[in-house]
Amino acid sequence: QEKAADIIAQAQMVAKEIRRASHEFSDSILKETEENLSSSLKNVRDTRQALRNATSKSKQQMPKEN
């Protein structure tokens, strides 16, 4: 009985540690994903703005037709 209780207690401790480690790992991966998505979104916005600027400059430089 005592040995069984020890084995169960050890298994519960190991399970608790595995749960903690998996939550920590998941949080780390999600944080990294969030940072990468934020960076990608910034790149998309910057590129979109650059295209807008290039388009407006080319419209200003086009000769007017009469």
Side-chain angles (χ1 to χ4, degrees):
Q1 281 287 7
E2 190 176 322
K3 187 173 182 177
D6 286 344
I7 291 171
I8 290 172
Q10 281 184 324
Q12 288 173 337
M13 285 176 36
V14 169
K16 186 176 182 179
E17 175 58 24
I18 289 171
R19 237 184 337 271
R20 185 199 63 74
S22 67
H23 287 171
E24 193 174 293
F25 174 76
S26 296
D27 185 61
S28 172
I29 294 299
L30 289 171
K31 179 183 177 192
E32 184 178 339
T33 301
E34 182 181 6
E35 290 168 353
N36 288 335
L37 286 171
S38 292
S39 176
S40 294
L41 179 58
K42 182 185 181 314
N43 289 337
V44 168
R45 286 179 173 158
D46 291 348
T47 302
R48 187 172 174 221
Q49 187 62 47
L51 285 171
R52 279 189 198 146
N53 292 342
T55 302
S56 67
K57 284 181 184 177
S58 67
K59 282 183 181 178
Q60 291 172 359
Q61 293 175 353
M62 291 180 71
K64 292 185 181 180
E65 293 182 19
N66 292 341

